[in-house]
Amino acid sequence: MTIFLRLSFTFAFIVLIVTSSSLSSAPAAQALDVSKATIVDLTHPIDANTIYWPTETKTFQLDEVHKGVTERGFFYASYRFCSPEHGGTHVDAPFHFAERGQTTAAIPIDRLSGPAVVIDVSTKAAEDTDYTLSAQDVSDWEHAHGKIPDGAIVLLRTGWSNRWPNKRAYLGDDTPGDASNLHFPSYGPEAARLLVDRGVAVLGVDTASIDNGPSKDFLVHRIAGAANVVGLENVTNLDQLPATGAWGVVLPMKIAKGSGAPARAIAFVP
């Protein structure tokens, strides 16, 4: 009974998010019956294999506090964990690259739920490891599917999640402490500016960064941060989403004054 109540509460909470957000923005979302939708998990689990930026000196740590039968005869388990903000499937708060940008806890909750837009560049990325989404790619997508709506959660599919958790294949290099020779695709600055102009809420990608691997000036991060657009990195299962019609929900840990946080990202697919 307890499990049933918890599941019911969780489902009701998610329905509330989708319903309240759809009232304020996307017509497509209003037609989405979440009770009949398939829920796709866009999140990699956090464990010893989780990929972090190469310059991180500490990664995920899980310490057992207690696991076993207590003196009173019932089972009890509890752990203590430690992790950098930026690793695995996680959110980059605007503050990450913008001094006056919103911190993790300050991101409005309605910016973390919206119509999911999937732009697939996996074929181009397979031919060019360092491929960046162009403004023309965005225009071509809009020609085929319509204008990207205000408040959208844009998800760039490169196919890189298939390489997880092979660090060398995923990042292009696995030299400890060295981020100077990374190779993976992502957004380009002009595409980012166009998407920001469209009023998108989130820029997500199935690689380690919303800037591509060779980037040294992180222009996409800076463009997004200055506009209080959230970054979402290391997502997965984008091959299970349509180009349009799904609804995305991104819920990071609400870290006060944080520059980012691990997140659970999901999508409702009609």
Side-chain angles (χ1 to χ4, degrees):
M1 178 64 73
T2 300
I3 294 174
F4 174 77
L5 289 173
R6 287 178 179 173
L7 289 173
S8 298
F9 175 79
T10 301
F11 180 76
F13 172 71
I14 293 171
V15 170
L16 178 61
I17 291 175
V18 174
T19 303
S20 61
S21 298
S22 64
L23 289 174
S24 62
S25 56
Q30 295 175 359
L32 175 59
D33 184 349
V34 295
S35 68
K36 298 178 181 179
T38 299
I39 303 176
V40 178
D41 192 351
L42 308 179
T43 315
H44 289 291
I46 301 176
D47 55 24
N49 295 317
T50 294
I51 296 174
Y52 290 85
W53 202 249
T55 52
E56 284 287 359
T57 57
K58 295 181 180 180
T59 56
F60 181 71
Q61 182 177 334
L62 187 68
D63 296 325
E64 181 181 309
V65 176
H66 187 278
K67 184 178 73 173
V69 178
T70 68
E71 293 178 354
R72 293 182 177 273
F74 56 85
F75 176 82
Y76 171 73
S78 179
Y79 293 82
R80 180 183 299 110
F81 76 90
C82 181
S83 174
E85 294 174 319
H86 303 275
T89 305
H90 71 281
V91 155
D92 281 355
F95 177 60
H96 190 33
F97 274 82
E99 186 176 2
R100 297 183 180 180
Q102 294 163 339
T103 58
T104 306
I107 300 169
I109 193 65
D110 61 0
R111 299 285 286 173
L112 298 171
S113 172
V117 165
V118 179
I119 302 177
D120 189 343
V121 295
S122 57
T123 300
K124 294 178 179 179
E127 297 174 355
D128 179 2
T129 300
D130 299 326
Y131 187 78
T132 55
L133 182 74
S134 68
Q136 187 60 53
D137 289 328
V138 176
S139 296
D140 290 344
W141 188 95
E142 290 188 322
H143 180 74
H145 302 287
K147 188 176 180 180
I148 293 173
D150 181 63
I153 294 176
V154 178
L155 300 168
L156 181 62
R157 183 186 174 219
T158 70
W160 244 243
S161 62
N162 294 332
R163 303 180 179 215
W164 185 278
N166 185 320
K167 186 180 292 186
R168 183 174 182 82
Y170 192 76
L171 296 176
D173 184 47
D174 59 356
T175 305
D178 185 4
S180 65
N181 194 35
L182 304 184
H183 295 280
F184 53 80
S186 197
Y187 292 88
E190 294 307 315
R193 290 189 181 95
L194 178 56
L195 291 167
V196 165
D197 287 343
R198 292 288 186 269
V200 305
V202 176
L203 294 181
V205 66
D206 59 358
T207 67
S209 173
I210 57 173
D211 281 282
N212 76 339
S215 176
K216 299 297 185 292
D217 51 16
F218 301 99
L219 277 175
V220 175
H221 275 89
R222 291 156 60 188
I223 292 165
N228 276 324
V229 171
V230 175
L232 175 64
E233 297 167 337
N234 298 319
V235 298
T236 189
N237 293 330
L238 294 184
D239 58 327
Q240 298 180 33
L241 305 188
T244 62
W247 186 266
V249 179
V250 182
L251 295 178
M253 294 177 62
K254 194 173 181 179
I255 301 175
K257 301 181 181 180
S259 70
R264 190 67 179 264
I266 62 173
F268 293 91
V269 181

